[in-house]
Amino acid sequence: MTTDQTFIVIGAGQAGGWTAKTLRDEGFEGRVIIIGDENFAPHERPPLSKEVLLGNAEKEVCLLWPPGTLEDAGIELRLGESVAAIDTDGHTLSLGNGEIIGWNKLMIATGGRARPLPVDGADLDGVYTLRTIKDAEAIRARLASGANVLVIGAGWIGLEVAAAARKSDANATVIELGDRVCARALTEEMSAWVHALHVGHGVDIRLSTAFDRFEGDGRLERAVLSDGTAIPCDVAVVGIGLIPNTELAEQAGLVIDNGIVVDEHGQTSHPDVFSAGDVTNHPNPLLGRRVRLESWENAQNQAINTAKAMLGTLQPYAEIPWFWSDQYDANIQMVGLSEDWDETVIRGDRDAGEFIEFYLKDGEIQGAAAINNARDLRFTRRMMTSGRKFDAVSLANPQIKLQKLMKG
Ligand SMILES: Cc1cc2nc3c(=O)[nH]c(=O)nc-3n(C[C@H](O)[C@H](O)[C@H](O)COP(=O)(O)OP(=O)(O)OC[C@H]3O[C@@H](n4cnc5c(N)ncnc54)[C@H](O)[C@@H]3O)c2cc1C
């Protein structure tokens, strides 16, 4: 394959790493350069709010491949360097230090950054967000036994932080503006289960609660709610969502709409510029709509698919979204983005913490969420793409294997 071409990948996260690796795996012999502003080889983030936060693993657990793998494949890593601007007409980009590099094809895998909380005291020592290795290590150092940890936002990251705090024997309080935890991703019933899980582990969850400010003398001492209540805390972790890093693409004149708009091959509005991962707004033919996902599996698989498209192998990216979280001894998994269903079927034992909920519309499975039942959830994906209808009574009966229902 062409050796005189240069493909540049911006971002050394999961999508960036997989793009570069796939280009080589697929036989591209030209120059591949990854430019990443974090000074760490391509890595994934899920361990940051799990093993790394718990102190059970060091940051190296996040590496996508053993050190040297990409270099051995002839991929140039320029870490700790930031792309400042892209010139799509000239097919060049400029780095923060002014250096200009030419490219034939470009991958923008710039992911996102944690949404900051615009309140007084957010710059105090002890107030964090959690996106990077640096964030995780700083928070980890503060999760000591007896510490008072305040989490703002009862989404996935916030709840994983609360779980890590409790496992470290710190006190944990979670403040949430909405009226239930993980409201964007979970049904009311599932949300209630996760809520009870945390309360059972001693987390103080305060729903429908507005936050006003942090206070302290240089260092965080307390948080103040809108009703004036003061909560003493040594550490606060703000987990209120992600801002996609679209600025570079926007400046380059690409179409942006809640992320960089790409087609089913990851191609942006410029034919030689591609994008994958958290930063993209992409069509999902299985869901029949556009989505911007913040998920490990999407960052990997969309990047692989898009790298192939950069080489001319066009296969529409079409996967049912899948996401997981680990909190205490509960493994939570979801498949699909259930927005419209008329029946919920529970299979397994909610009280024992081992079950799956199916969301059905006219007998077709729209999505599912499972607690400690990865096996059934994995198979559900196949059921969802089968186009078949399922009987609620049989689905609810754990004595009947899901595989059998597919055969019936
Ligand atoms: C703490 C945490 C826990 C998570 N846990 C789970 C989980 O349990 N399950 C799950 O499915 N998903 C989880 N996720 C989500 C998953 O990690 C993300 O979906 C995934 O990391 C997205 O990868 P990405 O490559 O698109 O973006 P990123 O990982 O954000 O990588 C983008 C990279 O590009 C860099 N960059 C940006 N702009 C520039 C520039 N101008 N120049 C150079 N570099 C630039 C960024 O600094 C970053 O290093 C978690 C995320 C976090 C933060």
Side-chain angles (χ1 to χ4, degrees):
M1 215 171 272
T2 36
T3 52
D4 58 346
Q5 300 237 322
T6 298
F7 285 12
I8 299 188
V9 177
I10 308 176
Q14 198 182 345
W18 276 105
T19 303
K21 175 87 165 33
T22 306
L23 288 172
R24 277 288 183 259
D25 289 348
E26 292 292 306
F28 178 66
E29 291 175 356
R31 203 172 166 204
V32 179
I33 310 172
I34 303 182
I35 303 168
D37 60 7
E38 288 183 88
N39 210 349
F40 201 68
H43 56 285
E44 58 188 24
R45 301 184 193 276
L48 295 179
S49 50
K50 305 175 183 70
E51 301 95 298
V52 174
L53 212 53
L54 287 165
N56 294 339
E58 299 300 323
K59 61 186 175 199
E60 285 71 22
V61 74
C62 298
L63 285 171
L64 291 176
W65 300 284
T69 304
L70 297 177
E71 292 89 335
D72 289 348
I75 294 167
E76 298 170 44
L77 290 181
R78 302 202 46 170
L79 304 176
E81 298 194 59
S82 179
V83 175
I86 298 167
D87 174 0
T88 48
D89 291 338
H91 279 68
T92 61
L93 57 75
S94 52
L95 300 184
N97 63 11
E99 185 183 349
I100 292 177
I101 314 178
W103 47 267
N104 297 92
K105 286 192 182 161
L106 186 65
M107 157 60 80
I108 306 180
T110 46
R113 57 190 182 274
R115 185 177 294 281
L117 192 61
V119 296
D120 287 349
D123 55 349
L124 286 170
D125 180 22
V127 179
Y128 301 98
T129 53
L130 175 49
R131 181 77 189 169
T132 64
I133 290 170
K134 213 169 126 213
D135 298 334
E137 289 183 335
I139 297 167
R140 170 69 219 153
R142 297 275 176 99
L143 289 191
S145 168
N148 290 316
V149 179
L150 180 77
V151 172
I152 298 173
W156 296 118
I157 298 226
L159 293 181
E160 288 188 356
V161 170
R166 292 301 298 134
K167 281 198 154 183
S168 306
D169 221 11
N171 304 310
T173 303
V174 177
I175 303 295
E176 165 61 44
L177 194 55
D179 60 2
R180 59 190 183 88
V181 305
C182 284
R184 272 201 308 155
L186 297 179
T187 60
E188 277 183 37
E189 297 81 8
M190 203 46 115
S191 197
W193 193 94
V194 173
H195 186 126
L197 173 74
H198 282 269
V199 171
H201 280 88
V203 179
D204 176 3
I205 302 186
R206 304 191 192 184
L207 301 173
S208 307
T209 299
F211 185 78
D212 191 65
R213 62 188 182 277
F214 296 110
E215 289 183 349
D217 189 7
R219 184 158 179 184
L220 176 66
E221 290 167 21
R222 74 193 76 80
V224 183
L225 306 181
S226 298
D227 66 4
T229 308
I231 302 177
C233 50
D234 322 292
V235 188
V237 180
V238 176
I240 56 167
L242 173 123
I243 300 176
N245 290 326
T246 54
E247 290 81 357
L248 257 187
E250 197 169 352
Q251 162 272 327
L254 303 177
V255 175
I256 310 292
D257 178 13
N258 179 30
I260 301 174
V261 174
V262 296
D263 68 9
E264 65 274 33
H265 307 299
Q267 192 175 44
T268 69
S269 50
H270 187 287
D272 294 329
V273 183
F274 295 77
S275 183
D278 282 15
V279 77
T280 68
N281 169 340
H282 60 274
N284 185 314
L286 299 175
L287 301 176
R289 62 190 167 93
R290 287 191 155 269
V291 286
R292 190 179 64 73
L293 300 174
E294 295 164 15
S295 98
W296 175 90
E297 189 180 60
N298 176 67
Q300 174 178 307
N301 293 353
Q302 194 194 14
I304 291 173
N305 204 72
T306 303
K308 290 179 182 172
M310 291 171 82
L311 298 173
T313 306
L314 300 180
Q315 171 78 32
Y317 175 62
E319 288 187 6
I320 294 183
W322 172 81
F323 183 87
W324 94 97
S325 172
D326 292 314
Q327 297 167 31
Y328 313 101
D329 52 2
N331 170 255
I332 308 169
Q333 297 197 19
M334 283 141 290
V335 65
L337 298 179
S338 311
E339 289 194 328
D340 185 20
W341 71 99
D342 50 35
E343 190 173 12
T344 301
V345 177
I346 300 175
R347 173 187 174 95
D349 189 341
R350 265 181 75 98
D351 295 337
E354 197 177 320
F355 67 102
I356 179 166
E357 277 186 357
F358 299 101
Y359 311 115
L360 279 76
K361 186 167 185 197
D362 299 330
E364 281 187 28
I365 303 174
Q366 305 298 310
I371 304 290
N372 294 327
N373 189 354
R375 203 182 47 185
D376 279 352
L377 190 111
R378 202 173 307 123
F379 195 72
T380 304
R381 221 174 186 180
R382 282 180 56 189
M383 298 168 87
M384 288 175 70
T385 47
S386 71
R388 298 173 70 146
K389 291 183 191 283
F390 295 92
D391 162 54
V393 177
S394 307
L395 269 182
N397 183 350
Q399 306 306 324
I400 307 176
K401 285 200 161 151
L402 296 180
Q403 285 78 351
K404 194 168 171 211
L405 296 182
M406 278 281 274
K407 284 184 197 142

